[in-house]
Structures are given as structure tokens and as C-alpha cells.
Amino acid sequence: MAVYYVGVDVGGTTVKMGLFSDTGELLEKWEIPTRKENNGEYILPDVIDSIEKKRAEMGGNIKGIGIGIPGPVTDDGVVLKCANLGWDVFSVKNTIADLTGVGNVKVGNDANIAALGEMWKGGGRGYDSIVMVTLGTGVGGGIIHKGKILTGSRGAGGEIGHMKVEIGETESCGCGSKGCLEQYASATGIVRLAKKHMPEDSCLSEETDITAKKIFDGAKDGDSYCMEIVERFGKYLGVALSNVAHVVDPEAFVIGGGVSKAGTIILDVIEKYYNENSMYALKNKNFHLAELGNDAGIYGAVRLVMFT
């Protein structure tokens, strides 16, 4: 009888799921809507229903289920509130195990899970200690040390986006603090930087919808103001990653998320400021772009349940 593993990545809009063989091959992937009504009470039952339908369709046994959650998660699978889903404190692991009868269930923070996936099958292949940074609407982070997720004592390890990188900031981050990396290195943060003191001769000055992509494209085309914004972005992120390296000393950094689609221009500027601010023993780390895109979470969830 065939044996399968299921990877689940719970997002605010959709839940991504993947069916994997016992050798780690992705056999099929699909999505369902994330129903957040009534404080997210339908989310896990919907996930289980979808898995059961797939199990009936494919036949065989499910040997393990891994799941990524957009919030702090303890090592024993307890989510410590998740505002994006409406969840309070409860054991996701026990809930999934009770509803499915599958005893092998592992749960992790979605950014950490994505980092694990990239280490296994993506831009971090060949390393067992990496730091992944996801540059999207916010800035997410995941730290993998010797093949295992660094979760921290309260499941909040790797929250790189909320490192303080600007002491004099007067505007608040979404977390309530001020001067967080997310305010300068996320897609929205880069646009925020660009709008502050834009000169009239910039290629962006007549744009009604400024995006991070347009800023990076402008820099590639030689627009001096866009190049200045990219430099500022790179300095904030490069210094932040240097600080991370001084604590965890990874083998490599993997840069993902929508902003990373700008390509090597991102790696070049981050590496420059990283090396300028790192001690000798930490200089010249390897920097890579993520490769798995939106599938990183399901790969990481399965890697978590198969090998830890």
C-alpha cells in the first residue's frame, strides 16, 4: 500500500497543500480558501476534509502531516495566538492528530517552515545552517541550524523583520514598535522610502502607483534616485543580516519573497553592506535567491515531519 506525507501551509487567503511520496517527491499540490469566520474555527476542519478527500482519491496511508502557521508556534505544536487567522492559544498538533487519527504531526511557524523547505530542496540546498529572509508585504525570517529550526523559547525565533535598525524613526511599524527592518526592507517599506523625498526628475515622479518592482527596475536602468533607494534598502538589510550572523553564524543566506524577483541586484547590494559591517570570520558568506516560491512552505512542512 502506498504511503504519503502531506505538507500544509496556512495563509491568510488560501491554504496550500501538497501530497508527497515517502521519498520526498511532490506528487500533487492544491489550494483551498482560508475561511477565517468565527475566529478561524473552520480552517483546520476544512484542511482535514481536503486531506481526507485526497486520501480517498489516491488510496494508501498518510504517514505524517506537517503544517506551517503564520504566527508563533512552540516546539510541541501550540500556536501562541495568530491574529491573522483569529486564533487564540491552542494545540494545532493535537487538533490535527485527533481529527485525522495520524499520530505523526508536526507544526511550525510559516517563515521557519519555508526556510526549512529552501534548505531541503531550494536555494539553500547543500547547507544545513541557513538564514532565510522573505521580503514581501512584510519581512519574515527563518533560522535553520544544523538541519533544525531555531524556534526560540516562545516560538518567536527568527522574527528578523522586527529587529530595530533605525533608532530615530517616528512612524510605527505594524507590530507597534518603531524603526523595524520591515519598515525599510519590505515591499511596502521600500515604497515608503521612495515616496519620502522624491525629486521631480526621477523616473518615479509621474507614477501614480509606485511599486518595489518599479524602483528596482529604475535602479537597473540607471535612475539615480532609484539607485539611492536600493542602496538604502541594501544597507538596512545588510546591517541587519550582519547582526544576525554575529549571533548564529550561518553557512548561507537565502533571500525570498516577491521583492527577491528583482534578482541579483538585491544580492549585490545586501552583500556589500553585509561585508562592510561584519567581523573578519563572518565575511563573504554565501547569498542565494530562493527557488521554491510559494511551494517552500509545503516542502518545509513535509521536511519537518519526515526528518525531525
Side-chain angles (χ1 to χ4, degrees):
M1 182 177 288
V3 173
Y4 304 110
Y5 289 85
V6 177
V8 181
D9 182 12
V10 180
T13 304
T14 62
V15 180
K16 301 173 184 66
M17 287 183 274
L19 189 72
F20 290 75
S21 71
D22 59 358
T23 60
E25 178 188 1
L26 177 60
L27 303 174
E28 189 173 349
K29 61 181 180 178
W30 69 99
E31 297 181 3
I32 62 173
T34 305
R35 293 200 293 157
K36 296 184 286 187
E37 302 90 344
N38 295 330
N39 294 320
E41 69 172 310
Y42 305 116
I43 295 173
L44 293 184
D46 285 351
V47 167
I48 302 310
D49 286 347
S50 186
I51 290 174
E52 292 299 338
K53 288 177 183 176
K54 191 60 61 176
R55 173 157 53 179
E57 176 186 321
M58 299 292 291
N61 290 327
I62 293 178
K63 193 171 182 180
I65 299 171
I67 181 167
I69 301 297
V73 182
T74 66
D75 286 335
D76 56 357
V78 175
V79 59
L80 302 178
K81 295 193 177 183
C82 184
N84 291 341
L85 303 180
W87 287 353
D88 205 325
V89 178
F90 74 104
S91 176
V92 174
K93 176 180 178 178
N94 290 346
T95 301
I96 295 286
D98 290 344
L99 291 173
T100 61
V102 176
N104 185 16
V105 177
K106 296 288 177 66
V107 187
N109 169 267
D110 59 349
N112 292 336
I113 291 290
L116 194 62
E118 287 288 344
M119 184 204 74
W120 186 33
K121 298 283 188 177
R125 287 190 310 277
Y127 306 105
D128 70 358
S129 295
I130 70 167
V131 171
M132 181 176 173
V133 184
T134 305
L135 307 175
T137 305
V139 174
I143 300 172
I144 309 300
H145 180 66
K146 295 185 178 179
K148 295 184 178 181
I149 295 171
L150 193 159
T151 57
S153 63
R154 297 188 177 181
E159 288 288 353
I160 294 168
H162 298 291
M163 293 177 61
K164 188 175 290 293
V165 295
E166 183 58 77
I167 301 299
E169 181 61 62
T170 58
E171 296 180 25
S172 294
C173 174
C175 73
S177 188
K178 296 177 181 178
C180 295
L181 178 64
E182 188 167 291
Q183 292 180 271
Y184 314 100
S186 64
T188 51
I190 295 165
V191 171
R192 172 178 168 272
L193 285 177
K195 286 181 175 180
K196 275 201 166 183
H197 305 289
M198 189 184 304
E200 292 183 359
D201 60 349
S202 169
C203 67
L204 301 173
S205 60
E206 296 184 3
E207 290 282 352
T208 57
D209 181 27
I210 298 174
T211 64
K213 181 181 185 305
K214 290 177 181 178
I215 294 166
F216 281 103
D217 287 346
K220 292 174 186 177
D221 291 338
D223 181 89
S224 60
Y225 185 63
C226 289
M227 293 170 69
E228 177 186 333
I229 297 304
V230 170
E231 285 288 320
R232 290 183 64 190
F233 151 85
K235 185 173 184 178
Y236 280 120
L237 189 50
V239 169
L241 294 185
S242 173
N243 289 338
V244 172
H246 281 84
V247 178
V248 298
D249 188 16
E251 294 175 278
F253 292 93
V254 177
I255 311 298
V259 175
S260 71
K261 293 178 182 177
T264 56
I265 186 175
I266 285 183
L267 300 186
D268 293 342
V269 72
I270 295 172
E271 283 189 72
K272 179 175 76 170
Y273 287 104
Y274 171 85
N275 284 320
E276 284 183 7
N277 292 279
S278 297
M279 64 183 289
Y280 179 80
L282 295 171
K283 291 183 185 294
N284 302 312
K285 294 287 187 180
N286 295 305
F287 283 75
H288 301 281
L289 294 172
E291 297 178 3
L292 298 178
N294 291 332
D295 292 342
I298 59 174
Y299 273 100
V302 164
R303 170 63 171 74
L304 182 70
V305 79
M306 286 183 72
F307 299 109
T308 60

